[in-house]
Amino acid sequence: MDAVRGHLDGLVLAVLATGPAHGYRLIDLLRERSGGFFELPEGSVYPALHRLERAGLIESGWSAEEGRRRRVYALTAGGRRAVDERRREWRSFSAAVDAIFGTGA
Amino acid sequence: MDAVRGHLDGLVLAVLATGPAHGYRLIDLLRERSGGFFELPEGSVYPALHRLERAGLIESGWSAEEGRRRRVYALTAGGRRAVDERRREWRSFSAAVDAIFGTGA
DNA sequence: AGTCTATGCCTAGGATCTCTTGGTATGGAT
DNA sequence: ATCCATACCAAGAGATCCTAGGCATAGACT
């Protein structure tokens, strides 16, 4: 999934905008909501989560239900603003790329 | 323009699919056809062209008209196939991202 | 004649990001 | 008892884009 490069953070934020989730669950949600397109390895998603937390866009807490340790992430106020920003950027970007590729085969 | 990461090669191929061009002109075409969105520095585009030529997707020749030296690039047969492939990949990818971002603000 | 700007090519190095590969641990099923 | 899914993490490799330079010619302006 090298094509997500530069867009992964926005995607993670967008999923978390629909509710808190832990890393492993997030990978499932990204796959499900993309119609199976995104099959992201843990080695991509976990670093992204740490990055976003360092940036103050998400925050985490440990959940101990069922005895399984899970780090659950949720958007901060800044994160909620960031989602809208990333979505706007994505729309501009994809419109630009669409214009270049045109309506070919 | 860090967002193009991973998609620049496809964009370059798409522009060259509409006719040969030299590097400097390519930068103009990318800006014009994207409605001013893509303002790519030479340091991004020239390496991309060299990459694509090494990969056999484009080929170049020197043009000396007007005394100005220009390296003009054109798609190879493999390059023409690659454009269609890249466009399909882009469509899949952008549909997946759209699905994740949803129809929010 | 000299200078400036636009055109036109190029490269080295830094920064960032994703992926590969490996490790650790628990819970449930066989 | 063993295996697989769940669940977290980190180190290092690889790829790519940008910054910041360098070099050269043509045309315009002073």
Side-chain angles (χ1 to χ4, degrees), chain B residues 52-53 56-61 72-77:
Chain B
L52 290 167
E53 186 161 34
L57 302 180
I58 62 179
E59 57 194 359
S60 68
V72 176
Y73 292 90
L75 291 186
T76 63

Side-chain angles (χ1 to χ4, degrees), chain B residues 23-91:
Chain B
Y24 209 80
R25 173 79 179 127
L26 195 63
I27 291 173
D28 285 340
L29 290 170
L30 283 164
R31 182 176 48 246
E32 291 167 13
R33 295 185 185 175
S34 67
F37 188 85
F38 291 130
E39 302 260 7
L40 296 167
E42 300 169 33
S44 299
V45 174
Y46 285 118
L49 287 168
H50 301 160
R51 211 157 52 221
L52 290 167
E53 186 161 34
R54 273 200 310 277
L57 302 180
I58 62 179
E59 57 194 359
S60 68
W62 286 100
S63 146
E65 61 181 83
E66 304 164 34
R68 264 225 167 69
R69 90 199 224 278
R70 288 172 178 154
R71 188 189 280 276
V72 176
Y73 292 90
L75 291 186
T76 63
R80 280 188 289 278
R81 285 191 298 273
V83 176
D84 294 339
E85 175 69 11
R86 295 300 196 113
R87 182 163 28 222
R88 272 195 303 276
E89 288 172 2
W90 164 253
R91 301 248 156 97

Side-chain angles (χ1 to χ4, degrees), chain A residues 7-82:
Chain A
H7 303 282
L8 178 56
D9 288 14
L11 295 171
V12 168
L13 291 174
V15 171
L16 291 180
T18 65
H22 63 279
Y24 210 79
R25 174 76 179 130
L26 196 62
I27 291 174
D28 285 340
L29 290 171
L30 282 164
R31 182 176 49 247
E32 292 168 12
R33 295 185 185 175
S34 67
F37 188 84
F38 290 131
E39 301 260 5
L40 296 166
E42 301 169 33
S44 299
V45 174
Y46 285 117
L49 287 167
H50 301 160
R51 211 158 51 223
L52 290 167
E53 186 161 32
R54 272 200 310 277
L57 301 180
I58 63 179
E59 56 194 359
S60 70
W62 287 99
S63 146
E65 62 181 83
E66 304 165 36
R68 263 222 168 71
R69 88 199 224 278
R70 288 171 178 156
R71 189 188 278 277
V72 177
Y73 292 91
L75 291 186
T76 63
R80 280 188 289 279
R81 284 191 298 272

